[in-house]
Amino acid sequence: MASDQLWRRLYDWITPARTVASPAPRRQASDSTRVADSLRNLLDDPTIPASVRSELATDFGRIESMLHKLERGELHVAVFGRVSTGKSALGNALLGREAFSVGVLHGTTIDAEHAMLDEAKHGGLVLIDTPGINELDGEARERLAFEVAEVSDLVIFVGDGDLTREELDALKTLAATQRPLLLALNKADRYGADELADLLTHLRLRVTGLVRAEDVLAVAAHPAALRVVEIDARGHEQSHEQTRPPDVAALRERLLAIAAREGKTLSAINAGLYAGRLTDQVSARIAQTRQAVAAKLIHNYCIAKGVAVALNPIPVADLLAAAGLDAAMVVQLSRVYGLPLTRAESGRLVAVISAQLAALMGAIWGMQLVASALKGVSAGLSVVVTAAAQGALGWYATVLIGRAAERYLVAGKSWGEAGAKRAVAEIVASLDRDSILREAREEILKRLKSQRA
């Protein structure tokens, strides 16, 4: 599936073929250092606006936690699954101590807990117990469990039989988070040897493409006590229950092997993936913020230009003044997008856009010149009406110039392969001319009438 392919590409990228001169521990340390540097750069990036940092504060907090995790050399393993499958008991069995709360009622785990695995304390393996999914009125807990799994490096999905539809859907969701999965069939002591073998084979088929066959393992975190019958010296039968130790050796060995071989690499890849998603979010928020600021800036210049054109009594001179406003607007837009233009560069850009607009809309520019001439010889209300029409055309031209310049800046001061002609034509086609002109006329008439009153 797509997520497996992406994970493999990332894994291959960050773990190139090892040589004798580059042993695994040194390579893993290099991977962690490289990703840690990227996380620090993201956290310290001065170009990210404070408003965006505030909006994504939780995500930046996670990045900081991931950075600390990399610096400590930890591998975080989430224990995940349906209510009452024995997740907490499995965590305790792996740890060899009662680190997590275990109860007979549904939903004992109400928050994420974590403890260092004793056997891998020096290797930095951290086990995270999560709330059970699919619990009645447990939507918040289920959401928390997915969030914890998302920021873990590896997930143990715990089941206690054949997977339900909800469990399989949850497993698919976890696989889409692009981290390795282990499937632990808990309560294996309830099955006979043949029945257990058949069930494991069936589960491996059901999770093909989600979990590797060798990562589907049987465990018994809290085996049922055995009833032992003994005959005493007088020949009387005496029965008692004998507790059995947890059977999690295969899973523990698998975890320790993963941690020793690729733990730091997994941690680095997961941190890199999360940082990549956050970078995309930051970019999207910055783009939205810039678009909003640019739209307001263009609108303000539309008002200024429309009114200036409408009020200027000298034919054609108003058009020259309008060109100056357009150049000033483009200078301001370039600052919004972090690609400052000089006034000369702005003027040349406006000239390029205007030339393309003139070629596309010669009739409109002709009407503008005629209206400019008529404005100088008209009187009374006709001046207001003609001026409003003239100003509306100036307003519309500013919208077109502003949007075209914005597209040029968003593309990094480039018109792209299609060139300026195609870009300007697409801008013209994308805007509703009639609605823009109507808004412009109404706004300009209102301002003209208020000045005449």
Side-chain angles (χ1 to χ4, degrees), residues 79-155:
V79 185
F80 197 93
R82 181 171 48 82
V83 167
S84 297
T85 55
K87 300 183 312 303
S88 299
L90 178 58
N92 290 336
L94 288 169
L95 291 164
R97 55 191 171 89
E98 297 296 315
F100 304 120
S101 301
V102 178
V104 296
L105 298 178
H106 286 340
T108 298
T109 304
I110 60 174
D111 200 352
E113 305 172 79
H114 66 275
M116 192 77 73
L117 270 174
D118 289 341
E119 293 83 358
K121 189 169 184 178
H122 298 296
L125 193 60
V126 174
L127 209 61
I128 303 173
D129 190 23
T130 65
I133 62 172
N134 225 31
E135 183 185 5
L136 183 64
D137 297 326
E139 292 182 5
R141 297 182 186 183
E142 183 171 343
R143 184 167 57 252
L144 175 62
F146 277 101
E147 290 175 353
V148 170
E150 186 180 28
V151 295
S152 298
D153 306 309
L154 184 145
V155 178

Side-chain angles (χ1 to χ4, degrees), residues 287-309:
Q288 291 171 2
T289 301
R290 285 174 169 171
Q291 287 171 359
V293 172
K296 184 176 182 180
L297 179 66
I298 292 172
H299 187 264
N300 289 341
Y301 271 93
C302 283
I303 294 174
K305 181 176 176 180
V307 173
V309 169

